[in-house]
Each structure stands twice: as structure tokens, then as C-alpha cells.
Amino acid sequence: MKKYVILIGMFLLCLCLLSCETDEVTVQEDETEEQSINYIYEDTAILVTMDTGEKSITFQNVETGLRYTLTYDGVTHFNDKYGTAMSAQQVKCGVVADISFNKDEKKLLSLDVSSDYFVYSDIEFQEFTKQDSRFQFLGEEYKLDDFLVISDGIINLEKMELSAGDVISVCGKDHTIYSIYLQSGHGYLRLDNDEYFVGGWIEVGNKIIRSVTEDMLLTVPEGTYDVLVSNDGITGNKTVTIGRNQEVTLDLGDIDVEKKYGNVLFVLNPSDAELFVDGEKVDTGAPVSMEYGIHQLICRADGYDTMSSYIKVGEASASITLTLTKSDGADDDEEDESESSSESSSENSSQNSSQNSSENSSQNTSENSSESNSGNSSENSSDSSENSSDSSSGSSAGTTSTSAKVYIDGPEGTEIYVDGNYVGIAPISFTKPEGSVVVTLRKNGYQTRSYTIQLEADDKDVHYSFSDLTEI
């Protein structure tokens, strides 16, 4: 009997111990679950950069500007602004997203692109306005957030590193922009064996028209272009591909030096308008013999806005019609008939450059009128054409101050180019212009970089010292 009592007692003791262990495990599991919940955080943040190799994303809080980096894996959930699942490769930097993450492990758990923020893509950048605090696009002006993010998805960029012609996307809310993502950037074009063409013209696609200077270095939006160089009746065509942040050298040594001329018949409206070609007044009563290549046209008449544009002569004969616009205050009934245009028709070939005249003349009207009034001298023509061509390439410097200077203090030993023209080795200074200019830094063995700076119309000297170039 005692034997049975002992066995029953031992059985009851085991049940009691098992019950205690079960309760303890349950408590531990509850504590672990509570701890796990405590370490899950939520945030609304901008995607700054993304490293697909390391599977990491750097975020920035939209309100505080605080940055942090999280990793992701195959179980991280990604959704677009419509709630549709997407892969990590489909995530675009520059967007604002609602995220959840484990703070202790720095692991991203979910990412949902926010539908509260707008995103506009494929915008051609020109410049910031009002002391770099605002940006205009689609006909409206937007404020730049104090913690504005500018990125190409791999590295952070400064405002000055955006160049006219870059293609960007912007993300914001109401009328505030929180991030700018660089979709398509720019590279650099250098000419080699260009001695014959110095003083002539270079056209890079429909993007840039510039006077050729010695040792020039042009900032060009990335892409593939037909390049035309011309001087004194000699022309040459090349095709070039510009990569982002890459410097490309174009050799002009194999261009056949043979002068060619074309006869261009100009029809002016009004008929008493004056026409200047490369700064020289021409008689439009008969076809004008013009060397092959790029030429600047300035057409003006009393009571009308002055038209400044470029044409490319590349055929034996062509006809171009230039119609001026009535100045403000002119008869409204005649205003519709005098819209600025530049129409062209080629008698022998549709490849002549009057198309360029049509495209450019609508963009260059009264802005250059003050400069073109003195178009009788080739020097003034050069100044006018330079300003107009700068506008085409997105870097236009206005009038130049006679006393103030711009000092480029560093990095020391780098070649300095202003709007593509070589000015010397840093530290260096140059006369301060008014408006927007592009400062390019170059050094053998290092990656070329450019900065767009805005200069005020005053007599104050300004100093710039840029970051060291990255070694290639």
C-alpha cells in the first residue's frame, strides 16, 4: 500500500513541476513578444540613396532631416503608392515613403510609397531662383525645404552641382519640394587639334551653340550628339557620346580644310527691317553668300522687338523668312500678324540649317536687343552671340562688373573653366559677372566636376572653395 502512495505522490509532484515550467515558458514568450514590439518603429522619410549590392537604403526624416541607414532582405515588403507590391529594384530614390523597421537590428520591415507627396519626372533643370531658395517648373514656383535632399541615387549632391540641361524628378507636398533626384546628368567635351577653329563656332546637337575658344571645356548634358564645328567657311561634323561625369575629347585634326559657300535669300517682315550677319549689315535685296557653318543673325526695325538667332548654312542655296514681333504699345490689330517666327525652306535640300533658325529665334528675342543695337562691330556681335549661346547651354552670364572679383581659392592646382572657357589654375580670380555661370574644375587623374553659381549685381568680391576632386 505504501508503495502505491509513494508512486502517486511522485506523479503529482511531476505534474506540479511541469505546470510551473509551462507557465515560465509562456511568460518568457510574452516578454519576448513585448520586447520585439517595442523595437519596431515607424517613420515618414525620403529615400536618399540605395545600395543594391549591400541591400541597404539611406533615409532622411522629412521633418527633422535626421538620416539613418537600414538593410533589407527577401522578406521586406515594398509597395507603391497604390498599395501594389513591387520589388526592391523598382524602388526609386527621391520619393517619400512610410516605413517600419526594427531599430535594434536596423532592418527595414516594410516600405510604402506615400500617396500624400507628388512626384514629377523628366523635368529639364535650368536654375534655382531667389538666392537658391525656390524652383520653378510647370509654370509655378515652389519653395525648397530646409532639409532638401538632392541625390543621384548613389551619392548626395549640392545645389551647385546641378547644371542646366540635367533631367530631374522632384518630390514634394503642397508647394514645398523635399527632394530632387537626378535622372540624367552631364559630362564634359574637350576639343583637340582645334587650332583652325578657334574663333569659329561649335554646335552640340540642339543643346549648345558657342564660339570656340582655346582650351575650352564644355559642360554637356549626357547623351549622343552630332557636333558641327565651323570657321572661315570650313566645316566638320562629328558624332560624340557624353557620359555622366565623363570627359570626352573630340579630335578635329582629320577634318578636310576646304571652304564652301551657300547663297541664302532672306525675306524680312517688315520689309524695311535691317539684318546683321555675324555683326555686319547685309543687303537682303539679293541672295547673301555665306560660308558653310554657323552664323548669328540679328534682325531689327523701329517699333519691333529685335530678333537674335543662329542659322547653320550647309547647302548651296536656301530661303529664310524672318518675321519680327510688334513692340509693346504697338497696334493690337497688327500684333497677331507680327508674331516672332523664323521659317525656312530649302530649294535643294531639307538638311540646311534654317530649322535651327526657326527653333532658336523664338527663344531669343528682346533679351538681346540692348546688345544687338551695336551690332555693326564684330566685337559687339561676339559679345551678343556669347550671351545668347550661354543661354542656349544654360549658363548665361549677364553684364560684367568693372571692380568686383570672383575668387576660386581651391582646390589648389586644379584647372578652372568659366562657362567652358579656360581661365587658369586655382587659386585664381576673374572679373565678376552678373547672373549664372558654370565653374568647371579639372585635373589630370581626377574626375572633372562643375558647379553653377549665382552672382549678384554688386561690387562685393566673392570667394569659393570647392571640395577636392575624386581621384580616378
Side-chain angles (χ1 to χ4, degrees):
M1 183 70 177
K2 289 182 179 180
K3 184 177 180 180
Y4 289 109
V5 171
I6 292 172
L7 290 174
I8 293 173
M10 293 178 64
F11 178 72
L12 293 174
L13 179 61
C14 290
L15 288 177
C16 182
L17 292 173
L18 181 61
S19 175
C20 290
E21 288 181 5
T22 303
D23 291 341
E24 183 179 355
V25 170
T26 302
V27 171
Q28 290 177 348
E29 288 179 351
D30 290 342
E31 290 178 352
T32 302
E33 182 178 356
E34 183 178 354
Q35 290 175 353
S36 177
I37 293 174
N38 288 337
Y39 279 99
I40 295 178
Y41 288 78
E42 295 181 346
D43 195 12
T44 299
I46 304 166
L47 279 71
V48 181
T49 58
M50 186 172 185
D51 189 334
T52 55
E54 296 293 331
K55 292 188 175 181
S56 65
I57 302 175
T58 298
F59 295 92
Q60 177 176 299
N61 181 277
V62 292
E63 295 182 354
T64 66
L66 177 67
R67 290 193 180 185
Y68 50 90
T69 301
L70 304 174
T71 61
Y72 63 90
D73 55 25
V75 298
T76 303
H77 297 286
F78 296 96
N79 296 302
D80 63 19
K81 66 178 182 179
Y82 304 106
T84 303
M86 59 181 180
S87 66
Q89 288 72 24
Q90 293 176 297
V91 177
K92 302 295 184 183
C93 289
V95 300
V96 175
D98 298 316
I99 64 173
S100 65
F101 58 96
N102 186 306
K103 184 177 180 181
D104 186 44
E105 299 179 2
K106 296 183 178 180
K107 180 181 177 181
L108 180 65
L109 303 177
S110 67
L111 183 153
D112 296 272
V113 177
S114 176
S115 59
D116 296 331
Y117 293 78
F118 63 76
V119 176
Y120 292 104
S121 301
D122 302 322
I123 297 171
E124 184 170 325
F125 177 78
Q126 291 303 319
E127 63 180 11
F128 296 113
T129 59
K130 296 183 178 178
Q131 289 75 46
D132 287 350
S133 65
R134 295 183 178 273
F135 180 56
Q136 291 183 336
F137 68 96
L138 301 180
E140 295 189 46
E141 186 174 76
Y142 292 78
K143 173 187 174 183
L144 300 178
D145 184 67
D146 293 338
F147 302 110
L148 175 71
V149 171
I150 305 178
S151 167
D152 63 0
I154 301 176
I155 60 173
N156 295 293
L157 303 172
E158 302 177 36
K159 291 178 184 178
M160 292 188 296
E161 292 185 83
L162 293 179
S163 181
D166 289 350
V167 179
I168 62 174
S169 65
V170 297
C171 179
K173 188 176 183 179
D174 298 327
H175 272 70
T176 300
I177 295 176
Y178 289 88
S179 73
I180 295 176
Y181 173 68
L182 181 64
Q183 296 177 242
S184 177
H186 56 270
Y188 307 93
L189 177 63
R190 174 181 292 280
L191 302 180
D192 191 23
N193 294 317
D194 60 345
E195 294 83 2
Y196 184 83
F197 295 96
V198 171
W201 295 92
I202 179 171
E203 178 185 16
V204 184
N206 292 321
K207 297 289 185 180
I208 297 172
I209 299 177
R210 291 289 303 274
S211 176
V212 178
T213 60
E214 189 175 356
D215 295 326
M216 71 188 309
L217 182 66
L218 294 176
T219 301
V220 182
E222 60 180 301
T224 300
Y225 302 96
D226 289 328
V227 177
L228 172 71
V229 288
S230 62
N231 188 32
D232 197 23
I234 308 302
T235 63
N237 288 280
K238 296 272 189 174
T239 300
V240 65
T241 298
I242 305 294
R244 185 180 302 188
N245 299 325
Q246 294 180 355
E247 181 179 317
V248 177
T249 300
L250 188 62
D251 188 358
L252 305 181
D254 58 352
I255 293 178
D256 186 21
V257 179
E258 179 184 353
K259 288 188 178 183
K260 294 183 179 180
Y261 296 84
N263 292 318
V264 182
L265 177 63
F266 291 98
V267 178
L268 307 182
N269 291 315
S271 59
D272 61 347
E274 295 179 320
L275 179 65
F276 296 84
V277 177
D278 297 332
E280 298 293 334
K281 185 177 179 181
V282 297
D283 180 8
T284 57
V288 180
S289 178
M290 302 175 65
E291 299 169 344
Y292 274 28
I294 300 170
H295 299 271
Q296 185 194 40
L297 303 181
I298 296 177
C299 188
R300 66 189 186 194
D302 292 339
Y304 293 83
D305 290 335
T306 297
M307 175 188 295
S308 177
S309 62
Y310 295 90
I311 64 168
K312 180 171 60 182
V313 177
E315 293 295 331
S317 61
S319 176
I320 298 177
T321 299
L322 302 176
T323 302
L324 300 183
T325 301
K326 281 278 190 179
S327 300
D328 292 340
D331 188 356
D332 293 336
D333 293 335
E334 297 179 9
E335 188 172 358
D336 292 337
E337 298 178 2
S338 61
E339 292 182 359
S340 176
S341 65
S342 176
E343 303 172 354
S344 62
S345 60
S346 173
E347 298 176 5
N348 296 322
S349 171
S350 61
Q351 297 180 357
N352 76 76
S353 63
S354 55
Q355 180 180 356
N356 285 324
S357 172
S358 175
E359 295 171 352
N360 289 321
S361 62
S362 63
Q363 299 174 1
N364 301 277
T365 54
S366 59
E367 292 180 359
N368 293 311
S369 60
S370 62
E371 295 161 339
S372 62
N373 286 336
S374 55
N376 286 312
S377 71
S378 59
E379 180 179 357
N380 287 325
S381 172
S382 175
D383 291 340
S384 176
S385 63
E386 182 176 350
N387 286 329
S388 181
S389 64
D390 286 342
S391 177
S392 299
S393 63
S395 56
S396 60
T399 57
T400 300
S401 169
T402 57
S403 58
K405 295 278 188 179
V406 177
Y407 291 87
I408 307 298
D409 300 322
E412 294 185 5
T414 57
E415 301 171 10
I416 304 299
Y417 299 80
V418 178
D419 286 340
N421 299 315
Y422 177 75
V423 295
I425 305 293
I428 196 172
S429 66
F430 55 91
T431 303
K432 181 182 178 182
E434 175 190 352
S436 171
V437 297
V438 177
V439 177
T440 303
L441 284 65
R442 181 189 181 277
K443 187 176 182 179
N444 288 334
Y446 293 80
Q447 189 177 80
T448 303
R449 298 181 74 175
S450 61
Y451 299 87
T452 301
I453 59 176
Q454 304 289 338
L455 300 172
E456 299 296 325
D458 54 37
D459 292 328
K460 296 180 180 179
D461 293 342
V462 291
H463 289 256
Y464 290 92
S465 184
F466 301 103
S467 302
D468 291 336
L469 298 180
T470 302
E471 189 172 1
I472 299 176

